[in-house]
Amino acid sequence: MVIGYSLSPGGLLFPYHIGALAGLQYHKYLDDSNPLAGSSAGAIAVASHAAGVPPQNAIEATIRMAQDCDTMGGARGNLLPLLEKELNTILDDDVHEILNNRKGLVGLAYREIFPMNRPVLDTKYCSKEHVVDSVCNSCMFPFFSSNWPCRLSSRQTTKRLPRVVVDGFFAVPRGRFGCPDFNMATEQNSMEEGETIMQPKIVDRTVTISVIPHKSISLTASEEHDQISPQLLNPEDSRSQLSRLIQLATQTAPKEEYHKLYEDGWKDVEKWIKNEERRNSQDDMSQLTGEPN
């Protein structure tokens, strides 16, 4: 069974995703054969992890961005150029080859609004600049990551027409909360190869990873056993937790907060793994006894 991991947007909560991917890899639930896809903060995490960037380097890049934002008056409107700068620093020049040669695809989602209005999941890259451009496209949240409502991609469909794009959050239905659908890549391949060619299924199962509790944001794209996110601390008062996470996503914080987010991502993965092992044990027992699970 091929498990794909689909990562949500999340602004400066990005280290949570890094911790989750690192935890999955450490516990051997993630290797180069697992497809990865992400939007916005999820796209940053997917690209950096698949490129082999050490988690500590990714966290330090987040801290530098936060510190630079503080000197510039805040995160709003300043994140995108700082992100592009950090990506060019931490990614190797052959990052496109690394991503292309990975057995499991690396998908970076965004929405093109001109010259075509369509969702895009980039999975093949021709240069480092292409990778950086795709991540920045995915992180173009209107009037937040930039002071503009959209971004002009550096990659054009024709020599005359620019590509106008927005954040990967807008590439999928609301119930996915920005978590890319691996079927997007299958559909794109079908369009390129022709409708008569059957494209192989990319994943058998998709696990969505969110920096915010699934229930708080109505992320319903996956079943409960296929969800990794922070635990809802108080179901009767989820607003306080949600407000705190949104604050961390949109405003800079001390470096200790980013290290804690990394640790939280790792811990939540370990909780998911325990539940996964319990489910597998129950399935094995059901097969032995012949009773339904």
Side-chain angles (χ1 to χ4, degrees):
M1 175 181 289
V2 178
I3 299 178
Y5 296 97
S6 180
L7 279 63
S8 76
L12 288 167
L13 292 169
F14 154 76
Y16 179 93
H17 278 325
I18 292 296
L21 294 178
L24 287 167
Q25 183 179 52
Y26 178 82
H27 290 287
K28 303 188 185 308
Y29 274 79
L30 170 62
D31 58 32
D32 283 356
S33 67
N34 294 105
L36 297 172
S39 291
S40 205
I44 306 172
V46 162
S48 61
H49 177 86
V53 175
Q56 184 60 35
N57 291 8
I59 296 172
E60 288 174 354
T62 308
I63 294 171
R64 286 194 298 269
M65 287 177 59
Q67 292 173 339
D68 288 343
C69 283
D70 286 340
T71 65
M72 299 167 71
R76 183 184 175 279
N78 295 316
L79 286 174
L80 202 57
L82 292 174
L83 171 63
E84 186 172 4
K85 173 186 172 184
E86 290 297 339
L87 289 172
N88 279 307
T89 298
I90 66 174
L91 296 179
D92 292 337
D93 290 342
D94 64 345
V95 61
H96 57 295
E97 296 177 356
I98 296 172
L99 301 193
N100 290 338
N101 292 331
R102 189 177 185 273
K103 185 177 180 181
L105 69 76
V106 179
L108 307 175
Y110 55 93
R111 186 167 199 93
E112 178 182 301
I113 57 177
F114 184 85
M116 296 176 63
N117 184 3
R118 58 171 184 150
V120 178
L121 185 68
D122 278 348
T123 59
K124 295 295 181 182
Y125 311 94
C126 62
S127 65
K128 176 181 179 178
E129 290 73 21
H130 185 178
V131 176
V132 172
D133 184 62
S134 293
V135 174
C136 289
N137 289 347
S138 189
C139 294
M140 176 59 233
F141 202 88
F143 302 113
F144 172 64
S145 51
S146 164
N147 287 321
W148 299 93
C150 54
R151 179 176 190 264
L152 294 180
S153 172
S154 64
R155 295 182 53 77
Q156 298 177 327
T157 53
T158 70
K159 293 182 179 180
R160 294 183 179 181
L161 295 177
R163 296 179 69 221
V164 183
V165 301
V166 291
D167 196 281
F169 175 84
F170 304 103
V172 291
R174 171 63 183 82
R176 300 195 69 87
F177 199 80
C179 291
D181 185 346
F182 288 102
N183 288 328
M184 292 168 63
T186 304
E187 292 168 1
Q188 287 175 180
N189 290 338
S190 296
M191 292 178 63
E192 293 171 2
E193 300 292 340
E195 294 295 336
T196 59
I197 297 178
M198 291 293 293
Q199 296 294 329
K201 187 165 62 172
I202 294 172
V203 299
D204 301 299
R205 177 183 172 193
T206 297
V207 174
T208 54
I209 305 178
S210 173
V211 297
I212 300 173
H214 280 65
K215 291 183 179 179
S216 294
I217 52 177
S218 300
L219 204 174
T220 57
S222 57
E223 297 184 31
E224 188 172 351
H225 62 265
D226 286 333
Q227 299 175 356
I228 299 173
S229 64
Q231 184 177 1
L232 194 58
L233 300 179
N234 184 358
E236 297 181 358
D237 181 24
S238 60
R239 290 185 178 181
S240 298
Q241 183 180 6
L242 182 59
S243 296
R244 173 59 177 161
L245 289 170
I246 291 175
Q247 180 182 13
L248 285 172
T250 58
Q251 300 178 29
T252 58
K255 62 182 181 180
E256 291 79 12
E257 289 283 4
Y258 299 117
H259 287 291
K260 183 178 183 302
L261 283 168
Y262 173 85
E263 294 170 0
D264 288 345
W266 188 297
K267 290 176 183 177
D268 287 336
V269 157
E270 290 185 329
K271 293 176 185 176
W272 176 80
I273 289 173
K274 287 182 180 179
N275 290 331
E276 186 73 359
E277 291 174 344
R278 187 179 302 114
R279 286 182 66 249
N280 291 336
S281 296
Q282 291 174 347
D283 289 343
D284 292 341
M285 184 61 66
S286 297
Q287 291 178 3
L288 288 173
T289 61
E291 297 178 357
N293 185 8

